[in-house]
Amino acid sequence: MTAGKPAINDVKSRAWQRMLSGRRLDLLDPSPLDIEIADIAHGLARVARWNGQTTGAHIFSVAQHTLLVETVMRHETPRVDQRVRLAALLHDAPEYVIGDMISPFKAVLEGHYKAVEKRLLGAIHIRFGLPPELADEIIQTIKAADRGAAYLEATRLAGFSESEARRLFGRDPGLPEATERDYLTPWTAAKAEKRFLERFNAVFS
């Protein structure tokens, strides 16, 4: 081994993160037993969407985004199954350890980011009683709500024109004005964490 450079096995042995819960999560081979919803909520509330390029006194967090996605889904499909709502809340959960990347940069990384993300999401699903891989119909339902949320975030917070957002994300989902105002006003990290946990507990119970 060259002096000052760690061996490959040494690097692999350190591919984990210590969580505030005390869990040690292996990023390359994650175990559902090392996943806690409190860690997910805490992490997602402190990860910025749009690389932080949004208006407001606070970042627009991934935690707030996932709540917006689930809200858009319930607006568009009011009778959607509770397990699908849970899957929507958790669709970006891997970002509590690997962060959020804008889609253009994910494309540059090709499959590497996606492979780690897929393993983490599978472990998260198992931890909370979902199948490791969702049915395509459920995936498409979540993606449709995700695009609706992205349209709102892009036009209300990230400086996109409506025409540009329509081209990239599709249509405005048409949320009620009061709902839109609430979910598109960036919250503090503490508020985002609290509301994420509250909604998770309501859906998971």
Side-chain angles (χ1 to χ4, degrees):
M1 183 179 72
T2 305
K5 292 185 178 180
I8 292 175
N9 288 338
D10 291 337
V11 173
K12 288 182 177 179
S13 72
R14 289 198 294 271
W16 53 268
Q17 180 172 340
R18 177 78 63 189
M19 300 296 168
L20 289 179
S21 65
R23 298 290 188 183
R24 193 174 90 162
L25 182 65
D26 188 323
L27 304 185
L28 300 181
D29 186 22
S31 167
L33 298 176
D34 290 325
I35 291 166
E36 300 290 348
I37 194 61
D39 292 329
I40 292 174
H42 185 84
L44 294 186
R46 289 157 176 78
V47 176
R49 288 273 290 171
W50 307 94
N51 280 345
Q53 296 299 307
T54 51
T55 59
H58 307 284
I59 65 165
F60 188 80
S61 70
V62 175
Q64 189 167 351
H65 163 74
T66 61
L67 289 166
L68 177 60
V69 170
E70 197 255 345
T71 298
V72 169
M73 175 186 289
R74 284 188 285 122
H75 173 72
E76 296 185 329
T77 317
R79 301 179 71 176
V80 67
D81 185 83
Q82 189 165 329
R83 285 166 59 82
V84 180
R85 295 180 185 182
L86 177 61
L89 281 176
L90 296 173
H91 80 281
D92 279 338
E95 294 176 9
Y96 87 109
V97 283
I98 59 176
D100 183 34
M101 291 187 185
I102 58 174
S103 296
F105 193 57
K106 286 182 182 179
V108 172
L109 296 178
E110 297 179 338
H112 302 297
Y113 179 94
K114 282 292 184 183
V116 174
E117 182 181 49
K118 183 178 180 180
R119 285 194 291 270
L120 283 166
L121 186 57
I124 290 165
H125 280 173
I126 292 170
R127 172 66 178 83
F128 300 113
L130 295 171
E133 294 191 25
L134 301 174
D136 187 63
E137 179 182 357
I138 295 174
I139 292 172
Q140 294 310 314
T141 299
I142 294 171
K143 283 185 176 180
D146 197 19
R147 287 193 296 270
Y151 175 94
L152 292 172
E153 294 167 22
T155 54
R156 284 23 170 208
L157 298 170
F160 286 62
S161 68
E162 291 186 359
S163 60
E164 186 178 20
R166 279 195 301 271
R167 178 171 58 84
L168 293 171
F169 308 115
R171 63 179 178 81
D172 185 330
L175 292 179
E177 183 178 343
T179 302
E180 182 180 310
R181 185 168 56 251
D182 179 19
Y183 282 89
L184 289 161
T185 300
W187 302 329
T188 64
K191 182 176 180 178
E193 181 176 348
K194 180 175 182 289
R195 290 188 62 167
F196 181 90
L197 283 172
E198 288 173 345
R199 187 62 191 153
F200 172 86
N201 288 330
V203 172
F204 187 59
S205 61

